[in-house]
C-alpha cells in the first residue's frame, strides 16, 4: 500500500510543487493550506496518514501549535517541519513540540525526498510500546510497569487522573507531555531509562530519531520537581546511559 503523506502548506505554488514531486515518487498526497484543516483530517483518520510535511508559518495556527496538538493527542506519526526561519531557537522549539525533522527554506528537492523516505522507513520499523519489547540497549519494556494514578514525593504531589500538580502546597501547571514523561519515570523508579526508551514509550516514535526534545523536557521537569534543578536528587542523569528516577533520595542515606 502506498504511503499517505499530508502536506500542510499555505504557499499554493510550493504546496502544489511538493505534492507533485511526492506523487511522482509513488506516494499518495493530501494537500491542505491551514492547521485546523490538517487537524480535522488527522482526527477523522489518524492511522490513515503516514507522515506530515508541515509548514511553520501558517495562517491562524502556527505549525508549532499543529505539531503540539498532534503530540498531545498521543499520535506518533512522523512530522517533517518546514520553515524559512533559521535561528537555532526556532529549530529547538520545533523539536520541543515533537517535530522529527526540521528543514529550512529554500531546500533541495532531493534532500526533502530523502528525509521523507527516511522518516517513513523509521516509522514502519517503530513498534508500539504495548506490543513489543525494547530495542537493543533500551532497558525493559514499559508494559511491565505498575500503573500509578497519583504520587507524592519530596514536596511534590501529582494526580495524573486530574492533571493536578502541587509543589510545596502551590498549584503548578504542567503540559500533558510533561505529565506523561513524569508518569513514565514514576512508574519505572530506580532503574536506568535510556533516551531511546523514552522516545518509544513517551513520544511514540522510533528510538533512533535525532531530537533534543528529551533533553528539553527533562530540564523542564527538573524545574518543577527538584528543590534545586541544577543539583537534581530525584531525576538523575547517568552519562552515556540515560536517566534514573529516585522517589526518596533521603532513604539512600
Amino acid at each position: 500500500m502506498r504511503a499517505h503523506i499530508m502536506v500542510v502548506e499555505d504557499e499554493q505554488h510550493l504546496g502544489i510543487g511538493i505534492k507533485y514531486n511526492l506523487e511522482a515518487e509513488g506516494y499518495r498526497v493530501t494537500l491542505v493550506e491551514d492547521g485546523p484543516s490538517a487537524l480535522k483530517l488527522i482526527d477523522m483518520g489518524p492511522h490513515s496518514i503516514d507522515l506530515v510535511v508541515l509548514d511553520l508559518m501558517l495562517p491562524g495556527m502556527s505549525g508549532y501549535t499543529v505539531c503540539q496538538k498532534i503530540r498531545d493527542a498521543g499520535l506518533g506519526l512522523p512530522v517533517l517541519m518546514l520553515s524559512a526561519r533559521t535561528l537555532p531557537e526556532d529549530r529547538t522549539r520545533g523539536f520541543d513540540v515533537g517535530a522529527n525533522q526540521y528543514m529550512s527554506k529554500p531546500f533541495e528537492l532531493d534532500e526533502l525526498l530523502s528525509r521523507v523516505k527516511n522518516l517513513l522507513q523509521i516509522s514502519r520499523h517503530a513498534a508500539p510500546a504495548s506490543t513489543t519489547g525494547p530495542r537493543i540497549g533500551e532497558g525493559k519494556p514499559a508494559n511491565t510497569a505498575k500503573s500509578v494514578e497519583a504520587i507524592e514525593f519530596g514536596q511534590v504531589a501529582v494526580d495524573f487522573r486530574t492533571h493536578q500538580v502541587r509543589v510545596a502546597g502551590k498549584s503548578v501547571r504542567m503540559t500533558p507531555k510533561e505529565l506523561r514523561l513524569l508518569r513514565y519515570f514514576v512508574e519505572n523508579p530506580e532503574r536506568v531509562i535510556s533516551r531511546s526508551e523514552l522516545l518509544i514509550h513517551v513520544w511514540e516514535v522510533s528510538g533512533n530519531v535525532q531530537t533534543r526534545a528529551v533533553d528539553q523536557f527533562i530540564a523542564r521537569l527538573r524545574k518543577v520537581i527538584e528543590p534545586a534543578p541544577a543539583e537534581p536528587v530525584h531525576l538523575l542523569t547517568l552519562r552515556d546511559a540515560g536517566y534514573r528516577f529516585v522517589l526518596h533520595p533521603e532513604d539512600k542515606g
Side-chain angles (χ1 to χ4, degrees):
M1 183 180 295
R2 294 188 300 165
H4 182 195
I5 299 173
M6 176 186 288
V7 177
V8 190
E9 173 59 70
D10 66 317
E11 294 184 52
Q12 191 175 54
H13 68 284
L14 181 57
I16 291 174
I18 293 173
K19 182 177 187 291
Y20 173 83
N21 283 283
L22 288 173
E23 288 178 336
E25 295 295 311
Y27 301 117
R28 185 162 60 96
V29 183
T30 297
L31 175 62
V32 297
E33 297 183 357
D34 60 82
S37 298
L39 292 173
K40 182 177 180 180
L41 287 174
I42 292 172
D43 188 53
M44 291 173 59
H47 302 296
S48 69
I49 298 170
D50 299 295
L51 183 145
V52 178
V53 177
L54 177 63
D55 183 37
L56 177 57
M57 303 301 291
L58 295 169
M61 179 184 291
S62 72
Y64 292 133
T65 301
V66 174
C67 190
Q68 182 72 66
K69 287 182 177 295
I70 290 172
R71 297 301 181 231
D72 287 347
L75 300 176
L77 71 159
V79 175
L80 170 57
M81 190 171 282
L82 304 177
S83 176
R85 304 174 68 170
T86 58
L87 294 175
E89 51 263 39
D90 296 322
R91 299 174 65 88
T92 297
R93 186 179 175 192
F95 290 129
D96 283 351
V97 297
N100 299 89
Q101 292 193 19
Y102 187 108
M103 287 188 67
S104 299
K105 298 178 180 178
F107 51 82
E108 294 292 333
L109 176 61
D110 287 344
E111 182 181 357
L112 174 69
L113 296 177
S114 178
R115 292 196 184 212
V116 165
K117 182 179 179 180
N118 178 260
L119 281 173
L120 288 170
Q121 288 176 338
I122 290 174
S123 179
R124 289 190 183 112
H125 287 92
S130 59
T131 60
T132 184
R135 296 170 185 267
I136 295 173
E138 290 169 355
K140 71 178 182 179
N143 59 4
T144 63
K146 180 181 178 181
S147 178
V148 175
E149 302 297 336
I151 191 75
E152 292 188 18
F153 60 94
Q155 295 185 312
V156 182
V158 185
D159 190 325
F160 294 108
R161 296 161 297 190
T162 61
H163 288 197
Q164 291 182 317
V165 183
R166 299 187 72 81
V167 179
K170 297 181 180 180
S171 180
V172 176
R173 182 184 178 277
M174 293 180 66
T175 67
K177 183 67 71 178
E178 290 167 347
L179 281 167
R180 186 171 180 178
L181 178 61
L182 177 58
R183 186 170 189 170
Y184 192 81
F185 280 121
V186 165
E187 292 179 345
N188 295 273
E190 303 295 342
R191 71 178 183 85
V192 178
I193 299 174
S194 70
R195 290 166 51 87
S196 293
E197 182 178 340
L198 292 174
L199 285 170
I200 291 173
H201 296 309
V202 178
W203 275 265
E204 295 184 346
V205 298
S206 167
N208 297 322
V209 169
Q210 298 299 310
T211 173
R212 293 184 58 194
V214 175
D215 304 301
Q216 298 288 341
F217 272 79
I218 291 291
R220 284 156 57 175
L221 204 54
R222 282 178 173 149
K223 289 181 180 179
V224 175
I225 70 172
E226 296 287 0
E231 300 177 356
V233 294
H234 293 293
L235 188 47
L236 311 179
T237 297
L238 284 74
R239 188 173 181 179
D240 298 326
Y243 306 95
R244 183 162 62 90
F245 182 73
V246 180
L247 268 175
H248 305 293
E250 62 274 12
D251 295 341
K252 303 300 178 181

